[in-house]
Amino acid sequence: MSNSFKKSIVLVDDHPLMRKGLALTLDSDPAFEVIEQLDRGEELIQRLDDLNPDLIIVDVSLPGMSGLELVKHIISQKENQKILVVSRHDESLYAERVIRAGAKGYVMKLEASEVLLKAVRKVFKGGIYVSEEVSERLLLGMARGQKEVMESPIEKLSDRELEVFELTGKGNTTRDIAEKLHLSVKTIESYRARIKNKLNLENATELMVHAVKWVETEHSDIY
């Protein structure tokens, strides 16, 4: 049972060592208590009412439902739920997406423990935590219009297109992706066509090569 004087936190991350490290960091602060560690978003959804945490910390890449979709689902059910995303993915690509989805902040996994604690404290105070660089980009986006601030073609992809792109890069077939996302094969093919168009790719082979390279680059700094 959670100590009523501590803020309760649930972790959702499919890497046991990373979960353990995050839990140790959070539990080192007497104001926080990690009450549960899960590896799938679906399990959190089933247990959310029972756990009723003050804060949920979510990874972007999860088996099954992605962290981004999980954030959207939770906020649709509990709009005031505090969520912080902690991920290895490039902040410039995902931070704005998770904030739009309803999360209260984004922290790179490579950041020092103090940064995570700083982010959690800010969220509990009612703020939103992103790095200074991303904060500046968000402000520029509002001031100039989002299109001028975009730096990478990948940023043109919608949240769902990005998810399909990443799953493609991990070697999933169109049918695999359809099953994972609970969508039809035809819908996935439509997403892939849009991705090719936005990234100026000629065919499915180019899409696969591009996606694999991107996934390898995104993951190379943590493993």
Side-chain angles (χ1 to χ4, degrees), residues 94-111:
Y94 274 97
E96 295 171 49
R97 293 173 189 266
V98 301
I99 299 299
R100 284 200 304 266
K104 299 300 183 185
Y106 191 98
V107 178
M108 293 280 289
K109 281 184 175 177
L110 296 179
E111 293 281 11

Side-chain angles (χ1 to χ4, degrees), residues 7 9 26 29 31-32 54-55 57 82-84 91 99 103-107 113-136 138-139:
K7 294 290 189 182
I9 300 173
L26 294 162
D29 189 309
F32 308 140
D54 295 309
L55 174 68
I57 294 182
K82 289 181 168 62
I83 305 172
L84 179 66
E91 186 184 33
I99 299 299
K104 299 300 183 185
Y106 191 98
V107 178
S113 300
E114 294 77 26
V115 175
L116 174 62
L117 292 172
K118 179 182 176 183
V120 171
R121 291 186 194 110
K122 186 165 185 178
V123 170
F124 276 131
K125 287 178 181 176
I128 292 177
Y129 183 89
V130 291
S131 70
E132 288 184 16
E133 181 186 345
V134 168
S135 180
E136 189 174 326
L138 287 167
L139 290 171

Side-chain angles (χ1 to χ4, degrees), residues 183-215:
L183 298 169
S184 70
V185 170
K186 190 173 181 180
T187 300
I188 300 303
E189 287 173 347
S190 176
Y191 280 125
R192 287 166 63 103
R194 279 186 239 161
I195 294 166
K196 283 186 286 186
N197 184 48
K198 287 183 178 181
L199 302 185
N200 294 314
L201 302 172
E202 294 292 326
N203 50 49
T205 303
E206 277 194 23
L207 172 59
M208 175 64 79
V209 170
H210 200 72
V212 168
K213 282 183 180 177
W214 182 78
V215 167

Side-chain angles (χ1 to χ4, degrees), residues 67-184:
L68 193 56
E69 288 301 311
L70 178 60
V71 170
K72 291 176 182 177
H73 185 91
I74 293 169
I75 295 301
S76 73
Q77 302 297 313
K78 298 178 71 173
E79 62 178 349
N80 295 320
Q81 176 67 61
K82 289 181 168 62
I83 305 172
L84 179 66
V85 176
V86 179
S87 181
R88 65 178 164 266
H89 287 288
D90 184 4
E91 186 184 33
S92 66
L93 180 60
Y94 274 97
E96 295 171 49
R97 293 173 189 266
V98 301
I99 299 299
R100 284 200 304 266
K104 299 300 183 185
Y106 191 98
V107 178
M108 293 280 289
K109 281 184 175 177
L110 296 179
E111 293 281 11
S113 300
E114 294 77 26
V115 175
L116 174 62
L117 292 172
K118 179 182 176 183
V120 171
R121 291 186 194 110
K122 186 165 185 178
V123 170
F124 276 131
K125 287 178 181 176
I128 292 177
Y129 183 89
V130 291
S131 70
E132 288 184 16
E133 181 186 345
V134 168
S135 180
E136 189 174 326
R137 279 167 54 86
L138 287 167
L139 290 171
L140 281 171
M142 286 187 283
R144 299 179 186 171
Q146 201 60 40
K147 289 181 181 177
E148 287 189 32
V149 188
M150 288 184 172
E151 295 172 359
S152 162
I154 301 295
E155 293 185 47
K156 296 176 185 176
L157 303 181
S158 70
D159 293 343
R160 184 62 94 183
E161 289 163 357
L162 182 62
E163 198 169 9
V164 170
F165 184 68
E166 181 173 8
L167 288 169
T168 300
K170 289 179 176 177
N172 293 276
T173 64
T174 302
R175 188 167 295 280
D176 292 337
I177 298 171
E179 288 176 5
K180 285 176 186 289
L181 301 183
H182 307 291
L183 298 169
S184 70

